[in-house]
Amino acid sequence: HVYTQTPSTSVVDGVVSMPVRGDTWVCEASLWSEWVTVGKIAAVTRSKVFSMHADKLWTLVKEAPSVRKISTTYARNFHKQLTMATPPLGDYPTDLYVPRTNVADLLSPQVDIDVVRSSVVARTADMSYAQVEALTRELQLEKCCVTLDKNSRLLRTVLMAVLVLVRHDGRRLAEIGRREGGTGELASGTLTAYCRLPGTKRRRGESPTLAIQRLLKEDVWELEPFIRLAVVRSETQQNMSSKFGCETVYHKMIQEATMYDATAENVTMSRLDADVDGMPKEMDSLGPTKFQDVIMMKNQFGVPVFFTWLTLDEFDDLREKEEHFKPALKAWLEMLTWVEG
């Protein structure tokens, strides 16, 4: 199916068309506002369309106080985002999309917490006490939201902003560890090793653009003056979270960027010498990667976070076999000595 907008009905310069996938909401704005369509949809194959009448919907919603409370919050916040969806605050809304109207942006944390507790009581969620507490804390911090899937099971949703920062030689910046629980000194605290791209969880109601700006200023602030932003793409993944005991969907906005001054001054950096003595055997698995520069930047909480530059193959290998490489990454970070830049 194809959705088309023209200058006669929309704020577009010419004819704009895009494919319409199955399970797509069309004109959801008409449920929560006085909406006039701004495009047309043409079917290219046989399909089924389910319609919903706004007045009848509200008649049913009013019969259940708990549902009415959630729906009213959702409707008010949807309408607010709809009226704000004009440049420069955001893109113009269409019949298929209104900016910042993901469930995580519209419902309050307490609504989500109530859903978690109700699921535990109804035993549709198989979660330990520790998992419930961990999920509740994350909801209170507005780092995720929860909904129920078609089988009435909890589905956690996380909105993320991720940075793919590429250097002049094609290597990309990867976060490989941090020290937490210390005094802020480079050798204090507990060292945790891992491998991932720099990223942050979007806060409730936070636009992707603002999340990227916050990531640049809080997490990679020493490099931020030397970063040129490029294109943005989106990606969705779903898997079971062992930490929270429920299926989790990750909606990622990926910001691609380039580093145009690889010799940026005033950056805290360290590197192993190729002839260093006493190198732990587990570091052999890292190959030449262990001789790359490692950058340390303290985040907004004063926690030292460590980064290095990896080729795409190196990153994919470390990421895919992260548990296997964790001891080697930790040993690598432990061997480094630091000099303030």
Side-chain angles (χ1 to χ4, degrees), residues 241-258:
S241 171
S242 58
K243 179 178 179 179
F244 299 104
C246 60
E247 282 286 321
T248 298
V249 177
Y250 298 92
H251 295 291
K252 299 180 181 179
M253 192 207 73
I254 302 172
Q255 174 72 66
E256 297 187 4
T258 55

Side-chain angles (χ1 to χ4, degrees), residues 51-65:
S51 63
M52 185 178 297
H53 196 285
D55 291 339
K56 293 180 180 179
L57 170 65
W58 280 107
T59 298
L60 293 173
V61 164
K62 291 176 182 177
E63 295 178 359

Side-chain angles (χ1 to χ4, degrees), residues 232-236 251-254:
V232 176
R233 55 188 172 87
S234 60
E235 182 179 294
T236 300
H251 295 291
K252 299 180 181 179
M253 192 207 73
I254 302 172

Side-chain angles (χ1 to χ4, degrees), residues 7-18:
S8 63
T9 60
S10 308
V11 187
V12 292
D13 295 329
V15 177
V16 177
S17 298
M18 64 184 68

Side-chain angles (χ1 to χ4, degrees), residues 3-297:
Y3 175 70
T4 304
Q5 292 179 278
T6 64
S8 63
T9 60
S10 308
V11 187
V12 292
D13 295 329
V15 177
V16 177
S17 298
M18 64 184 68
V20 181
R21 297 178 298 179
D23 298 327
T24 296
W25 280 86
V26 180
C27 295
E28 183 191 357
S30 64
L31 294 176
W32 323 117
S33 67
E34 294 290 339
W35 179 254
V36 178
T37 57
V38 293
K40 294 182 179 180
I41 290 182
V44 295
T45 60
R46 292 189 63 181
S47 58
K48 292 182 179 180
V49 177
F50 297 89
S51 63
M52 185 178 297
H53 196 285
D55 291 339
K56 293 180 180 179
L57 170 65
W58 280 107
T59 298
L60 293 173
V61 164
K62 291 176 182 177
E63 295 178 359
S66 60
V67 176
R68 182 175 65 231
K69 179 180 177 181
I70 295 174
S71 300
T72 300
T73 300
Y74 183 96
R76 287 175 176 169
N77 290 333
F78 188 102
H79 186 269
K80 178 181 178 181
Q81 297 298 340
L82 179 64
T83 57
M84 291 174 59
T86 56
L89 297 176
D91 297 329
Y92 285 112
T94 72
D95 300 305
L96 304 182
Y97 171 71
V98 177
R100 296 186 297 278
T101 54
N102 187 285
V103 174
D105 297 324
L106 301 179
L107 295 180
S108 69
Q110 189 56 49
V111 170
D112 289 8
I113 292 170
D114 290 343
V115 170
V116 172
R117 291 172 177 169
S118 297
S119 298
V120 172
V121 171
R123 296 186 178 181
T124 56
D126 185 15
M127 302 168 65
S128 67
Y129 176 80
Q131 289 172 328
V132 172
E133 289 298 299
L135 182 54
T136 299
R137 283 194 299 273
E138 183 155 285
L139 290 169
Q140 290 170 337
L141 294 172
E142 301 188 351
K143 291 184 176 181
C144 71
C145 76
V146 294
T147 53
L148 299 179
D149 64 15
K150 61 183 180 181
N151 297 316
S152 297
R153 295 190 177 277
L154 277 180
L155 183 66
R156 173 173 166 260
T157 300
V158 180
L159 306 179
M160 297 194 68
V162 177
L163 178 66
V164 178
L165 179 59
V166 180
R167 201 168 61 174
H168 65 93
D169 57 1
R171 289 179 173 270
R172 58 190 57 202
L173 189 70
E175 185 177 327
I176 58 172
R178 62 179 56 204
R179 282 192 181 274
E180 295 186 291
T183 62
E185 297 297 325
L186 295 181
S188 68
T190 301
L191 178 62
T192 303
Y194 48 82
C195 181
R196 65 188 180 211
L197 293 172
T200 185
K201 292 176 181 176
R202 281 171 51 194
R203 295 166 181 166
R204 193 178 295 262
E206 183 179 40
S207 71
T209 301
L210 290 178
I212 285 293
Q213 291 176 357
R214 178 168 56 82
L215 170 63
L216 293 174
K217 294 186 181 299
E218 294 182 356
D219 291 16
V220 293
W221 56 276
E222 290 188 1
L223 302 180
E224 193 263 342
F226 313 102
I227 294 175
R228 286 180 178 165
L229 301 183
V231 299
V232 176
R233 55 188 172 87
S234 60
E235 182 179 294
T236 300
Q237 297 176 337
Q238 179 171 340
N239 54 49
M240 171 61 72
S241 171
S242 58
K243 179 178 179 179
F244 299 104
C246 60
E247 282 286 321
T248 298
V249 177
Y250 298 92
H251 295 291
K252 299 180 181 179
M253 192 207 73
I254 302 172
Q255 174 72 66
E256 297 187 4
T258 55
M259 177 85 171
Y260 68 89
D261 188 349
T263 58
E265 297 180 355
N266 301 320
V267 175
T268 304
M269 191 178 301
S270 184
R271 172 193 281 229
L272 280 182
D273 292 329
D275 57 353
V276 66
D277 294 326
M279 191 179 299
K281 189 170 180 58
E282 57 260 38
M283 287 176 57
D284 292 346
S285 62
L286 294 175
T289 301
K290 59 181 172 288
F291 300 118
Q292 281 293 315
D293 292 333
V294 177
I295 300 169
M296 188 287 297
M297 287 179 277

